[in-house]
Amino acid sequence: MVFNFGIDGYQPQWLTGVTALAAAHGERLGRLAGRRLDRVWLLWDLDDDAWFADGPVLLDFEGEQVEINHQKFDDLSITWNTVDPARPVDWPTDDDIRLAWRHDTSPEIAALPGQTLRVVELLEWTGADVANGMVAVGFTFADGQLTIYNALDENGLAFNPPEPDYRRHPLVG
């Protein structure tokens, strides 16, 4: 059984490497270009009032929702339209963690909805470190950038253009 993070309906599909990710999701990701971003959802720890970066990041492009999640050093799961952020999250371990979906978490996140996606890319890390080969997903908008990357067994978010150590793989639908 796959760990679903207490999210009803969520079944992550872990893949490794740009070739596998492009084959499984490249065309569909590429078809997001030209669509308006309606919302970015993050899983929020209610007690710590902080982003719970272990759970998926949800991006809703006019009803087509992509769900992105990283684990370990190089595993990436991309799923589509499986998570309903209106439903409660029930963390399935003994830890007493209270989680909920939020879309109003930072000025950088709040600036993205309403913008049209120009380019989506798989970003392959080529740096000489343990992250070599890790794949991030980059979204370029008319006035902004969002990269969802592996922050060592959890998600990380960046709002600047990708670092030069990324090999860029633009996707076309």
Side-chain angles (χ1 to χ4, degrees):
M1 180 178 210
V2 174
F3 185 75
N4 74 352
F5 299 83
I7 302 167
D8 189 40
Y10 182 57
Q11 294 293 310
Q13 304 293 314
W14 302 108
L15 297 172
T16 302
V18 72
T19 302
L21 286 154
H25 300 286
E27 187 175 323
R28 193 167 182 183
L29 282 167
R31 285 196 309 263
L32 293 174
R35 294 180 83 133
R36 184 188 71 245
L37 178 66
D38 289 333
R39 192 136 324 188
V40 178
W41 294 96
L42 300 178
L43 203 51
W44 205 255
D45 183 321
L46 298 173
D47 295 318
D48 290 342
D49 193 27
W51 177 33
F52 188 76
D54 287 347
V57 177
L58 315 180
L59 292 94
D60 181 354
F61 291 93
E62 298 178 287
E64 178 78 315
Q65 180 174 275
V66 59
E67 303 145 357
I68 299 172
N69 202 5
H70 289 89
Q71 75 171 5
K72 300 181 184 174
F73 287 115
D74 56 3
D75 287 354
L76 173 57
S77 173
I78 298 174
T79 54
W80 299 88
N81 303 307
T82 66
V83 177
D84 179 355
R87 297 193 61 161
V89 178
D90 184 18
W91 186 249
T93 69
D94 291 339
D95 301 329
D96 194 19
I97 300 174
R98 295 182 320 119
L99 302 170
W101 293 104
R102 284 192 51 192
H103 61 84
D104 58 349
T105 59
S106 72
E108 296 90 354
I109 294 284
L112 296 172
Q115 293 194 51
T116 299
L117 180 64
R118 294 170 121 187
V119 176
V120 60
E121 301 173 295
L122 294 179
L123 304 167
E124 181 182 15
W125 184 254
T126 61
D129 56 26
V130 71
N132 186 282
M134 178 275 300
V135 178
V137 185
F139 300 90
T140 303
F141 300 90
D143 187 28
Q145 172 77 35
L146 172 61
T147 300
I148 304 169
Y149 65 93
N150 189 318
L152 299 178
D153 200 32
E154 65 183 16
N155 296 299
L157 301 176
F159 300 96
N160 299 315
E163 296 180 35
D165 282 335
Y166 279 116
R167 181 177 299 128
R168 299 169 86 145
H169 302 270
L171 302 171
V172 178

